């Protein structure tokens, strides 16, 4: 069983209002030896589906048999989370491009340094939960350096980054510490978001992560047999060039979309004119991210993400 539960709050700076800027980490320690699993969320402040799932997981895990430790980091970017924005309001930069951080740098660089020292450098496995922000809804899992772990989440769609292909690979993310420096197993989950009920995505996240913990041997039980899965090595993020209402016309996430289909259109909320029609970039694609409802977008906002099924594997 869980032997002890500790709340760790390492301070990394003082805010101008006099409050302490701290990391909020919950440590669950088992009665038997095992790996230290880090489960984190909300490194982008407007992606809180994972934070909600961690809340649910905590109530389940605290009463389960546990080997090793689990370090829950429900909100990696509190300043951004508090105002439901992607970036911290203090310096307005992407925290997940600042790693390994700098203790004498900007606020987000200091935060990244603290996360590196107090969290990323002390875990043996990293499960990082993202979502599609408060507007689009996303559904896929990265395959980085532990395919079994990534597949164990149970998503239908997985993405394996390949050099010289379109994708979503950036510098300065947490993997610059966990993979590039430490080479520990990492799985990045992209699930949920949007102006829709998050309950189904929260449940899938909780169920998926618990299955991953079974794979690592941290909790008892046989992992489930994975569903039929598709692995794409190329995906395209599509942004509108016009602002207005975006109206989705594509099939649900996880479904195929042929090259002759429209993903959606941007319509003026003022004169009702169609400003832009957005087409899928691949002849044979699969939906990965989209707006599930009519939303307001600015020019350049994320609108859709499509995987290329040509060259995909199972």
């Amino acid at each position: 069983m869980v032997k002890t539960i500790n709340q760790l709050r390492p301070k990394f700076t003082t805010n101008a209002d006099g409050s302490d800027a701290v990391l909020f980490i919950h440590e669950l320690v088992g009665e038997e030896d095992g790996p230290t699993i880090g489960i984190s969320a909300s490194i982008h402040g407007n992606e809180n589906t994972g934070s909600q799932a961690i809340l649910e997981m905590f109530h389940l895990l605290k009463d389960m048999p546990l080997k090793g430790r689990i370090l829950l980091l429900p909100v990696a970017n509190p300043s951004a989370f508090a105002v439901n924005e992607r970036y911290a309001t203090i310096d307005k930069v992407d925290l997940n491009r600042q790693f390994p951080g700098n203790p004498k740098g900007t606020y987000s660089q200091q935060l990244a340094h603290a996360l590196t020292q107090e969290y990323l450098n002390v875990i043996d496995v990293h499960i990082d939960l993202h979502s599609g922000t408060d507007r689009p809804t996303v559904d896929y899992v990265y395959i980085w350096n532990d395919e079994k772990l990534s597949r164990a989440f149970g998503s239908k769609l997985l993405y394996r980054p390949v050099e010289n292909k379109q994708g979503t690979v950036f510098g300065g993310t947490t993997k610059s510490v966990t993979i590039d420096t430490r080479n520990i197993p990492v799985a990045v989950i992209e699930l949920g978001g949007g102006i829709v009920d998050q309950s189904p995505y929260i449940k899938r996240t909780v169920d998926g992560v618990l299955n991953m913990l079974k794979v690592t041997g941290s909790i008892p039980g046989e992992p489930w047999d994975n569903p039929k899965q598709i692995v794409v090595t190329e995906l395209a993020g599509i942004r509108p060039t016009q602002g207005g209402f975006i109206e989705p016309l594509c099939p649900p996430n996880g479904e195929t979309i042929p090259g002759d289909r429209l993903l959606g259109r941007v319509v003026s909320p003022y004169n009702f004119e169609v400003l832009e029609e957005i087409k899928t970039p691949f002849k044979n694609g699969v939906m990965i991210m989209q707006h599930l409802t009519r939303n307001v977008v600015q020019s350049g906002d994320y609108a859709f993400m499509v995987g290329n099924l040509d060259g995909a594997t199972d």
Side-chain angles (χ1 to χ4, degrees), residues 29 94 192 225 285:
V29 182
D94 193 329
D225 291 330

Side-chain angles (χ1 to χ4, degrees), residues 20-305:
D20 291 339
V22 301
L23 307 180
F24 294 86
I25 302 171
H26 299 263
E27 179 189 45
L28 285 70
V29 182
E31 292 187 334
E32 298 184 54
D33 291 338
T36 296
I37 313 295
I39 306 171
S40 61
S42 288
I43 199 166
H44 295 129
N46 57 355
E47 300 181 11
N48 70 37
T49 307
S51 299
Q52 296 184 60
I54 287 178
L55 171 63
E56 300 294 329
M57 275 185 268
F58 172 77
H59 292 299
L60 295 172
L61 289 169
K62 66 183 178 64
D63 297 320
M64 285 187 179
L66 174 66
K67 292 183 179 180
R69 294 191 303 163
I70 294 177
L71 296 183
L72 300 174
L73 179 69
V75 180
N77 197 346
S79 172
F81 176 89
V83 292
N84 193 37
E85 293 184 5
R86 183 176 178 87
Y87 309 139
T89 56
I90 297 170
D91 56 10
K92 298 186 184 301
V93 298
D94 193 329
L95 173 59
N96 206 28
R97 306 292 184 270
Q98 310 303 318
F99 289 91
N102 181 347
K104 296 184 178 181
T106 67
Y107 173 85
S108 292
Q109 289 172 338
Q110 292 179 49
L111 174 53
H113 178 264
L115 288 166
T116 297
Q117 297 301 312
E118 303 288 345
Y119 191 73
L120 300 177
N121 277 348
V122 301
I123 57 179
D124 301 315
V125 177
H126 189 204
I127 301 171
D128 195 19
L129 305 177
H130 293 247
S131 63
T133 79
D134 55 340
R135 291 193 178 185
T137 303
V138 70
D139 191 344
Y140 73 108
V141 172
Y142 283 83
I143 296 177
W144 286 117
N145 61 348
D146 192 318
E147 184 159 339
K148 183 178 181 180
L149 184 69
S150 293
R151 286 183 180 271
F153 185 78
S155 282
K156 176 181 177 180
L157 283 166
L158 299 102
Y159 166 55
R160 190 195 315 276
V162 172
E163 192 175 355
N164 298 323
K165 287 192 175 183
Q166 290 187 81
T168 51
V169 178
F170 308 100
T173 67
T174 55
K175 85 174 189 68
S176 68
V177 178
T178 53
I179 295 178
D180 299 344
T181 300
R182 301 193 60 225
N183 196 29
I184 64 171
V186 169
V188 175
I189 315 302
E190 297 270 3
L191 179 63
I195 309 176
V196 294
D197 179 17
Q198 295 299 294
S199 298
Y201 303 116
I202 293 166
K203 184 179 188 308
R204 279 183 56 195
T205 300
V206 172
D207 292 345
V209 173
L210 291 179
N211 194 60
M212 297 167 87
L213 293 176
K214 292 175 183 177
V215 167
T216 65
S218 301
I219 62 174
E222 283 297 316
W224 62 42
D225 291 330
N226 293 327
K228 182 174 174 58
Q229 296 177 314
I230 301 170
V231 180
V232 298
T233 58
E234 182 176 20
L235 53 82
I238 298 104
R239 300 174 185 267
T241 62
Q242 306 294 318
F245 279 137
I246 189 161
E247 296 185 337
L249 301 171
C250 50
N253 286 334
E255 299 299 317
T256 59
I257 180 167
D260 59 351
R261 285 281 303 274
L262 286 176
L263 292 168
R265 59 169 63 100
V266 179
V267 177
S268 169
Y270 305 103
N271 61 19
F272 317 132
E273 177 186 352
V274 175
L275 303 176
E276 182 178 9
E277 291 188 331
I278 303 172
K279 297 182 178 180
T280 179
F282 302 123
K283 292 182 179 179
N284 186 23
V286 59
M287 293 305 307
I288 289 178
M289 185 184 77
Q290 62 177 289
H291 292 256
L292 297 181
T293 60
R294 178 187 287 138
N295 282 338
V296 177
V297 293
Q298 294 283 9
S299 175
D301 279 348
Y302 251 129
F304 304 97
M305 191 177 290

